[in-house]
Amino acid sequence: MNFVVVSSIGAVFMGIFALFVRMKAAKKPTNAKKIILPPVFMSSGALMYVVPQFRLSSMEILEAVVVGMLFSILLIKTSKFEIRENDIYLKRSKAFIFILVGLLVVRIGLKTILSATIDYGELSGMFFLLAFSMIVPWRVAMYHDYKKLYKKLHGQH
């Protein structure tokens, strides 16, 4: 079976998993560790670049980072916190589901189109970098918003 099809099916399952994780996370209070650790754990995926097949040109790096950062704006806009019961919770957002599904559709579309001209290894490296470049700014913004609410909740200025 075609690598693009297999990886796209995997992306759909990961997207569904992310939706369930997000819905479950909204039911429990959050903390700084829960915000910071996902990109730290994800960073281990950069080991793929040790293998020459996954290495990117400067232009591919630039393209992946810029697109990832643009996509992160959507996630930042739909991730808000609230104080409930003397704890900080991530607010549920109906828009988040649509944005996550939309990003997944765009990702699969781009992967299908780009797989005709870019080697599968390089394309994998680009999409990892795109995802990482999307998650890091999103989590940094979340951490900043969390710290503001934390200070407010604990009476710090």
Side-chain angles (χ1 to χ4, degrees):
M1 194 184 290
N2 187 334
F3 283 127
V4 175
V5 173
V6 172
S7 64
S8 296
I9 292 169
V12 168
F13 282 108
M14 288 179 68
I16 292 167
F17 178 71
L19 283 174
F20 283 111
V21 169
R22 176 70 182 248
M23 290 185 324
K24 186 178 177 187
K27 294 178 183 178
K28 297 179 183 176
T30 195
N31 60 45
K33 265 187 2 185
K34 289 180 183 178
I35 295 168
I36 295 169
L37 287 178
V40 171
F41 294 143
M42 185 183 173
S43 67
S44 65
L47 288 172
M48 75 166 55
Y49 299 117
V50 170
V51 179
Q53 177 183 353
F54 296 105
R55 292 187 191 147
L56 306 174
S57 69
S58 300
M59 188 53 103
E60 290 168 335
I61 292 170
L62 180 66
E63 290 168 354
V65 169
V66 168
V67 172
M69 292 179 93
L70 289 173
F71 284 175
S72 75
I73 294 168
L74 298 170
L75 296 173
I76 292 167
K77 294 290 183 191
T78 58
S79 298
K80 302 293 177 217
F81 293 102
E82 64 184 350
I83 297 173
R84 269 190 279 144
E85 303 164 8
N86 242 9
D87 279 313
I88 301 172
Y89 288 80
L90 187 61
K91 274 187 182 181
R92 285 189 175 192
S93 169
K94 292 186 189 329
F96 182 81
I97 293 169
F98 294 110
I99 288 170
L100 193 62
V101 169
L103 289 173
L104 183 61
V105 168
V106 169
R107 181 184 185 273
I108 291 170
L110 284 172
K111 199 169 210 175
T112 303
I113 293 165
L114 295 174
S115 67
T117 57
I118 299 175
D119 178 67
Y120 180 74
E122 290 174 23
L123 196 56
S124 298
M126 287 180 75
F127 275 97
F128 170 81
L129 186 57
L130 184 150
F132 193 71
S133 299
M134 181 173 63
I135 289 171
V136 170
W138 174 41
R139 292 300 176 134
V140 167
M142 286 175 72
Y143 181 75
H144 177 70
D145 291 347
Y146 171 82
K147 285 311 249 182
K148 279 199 289 190
L149 269 184
Y150 184 86
K151 287 178 181 180
K152 180 180 177 182
L153 181 64
H154 296 286
Q156 300 170 356
H157 297 285

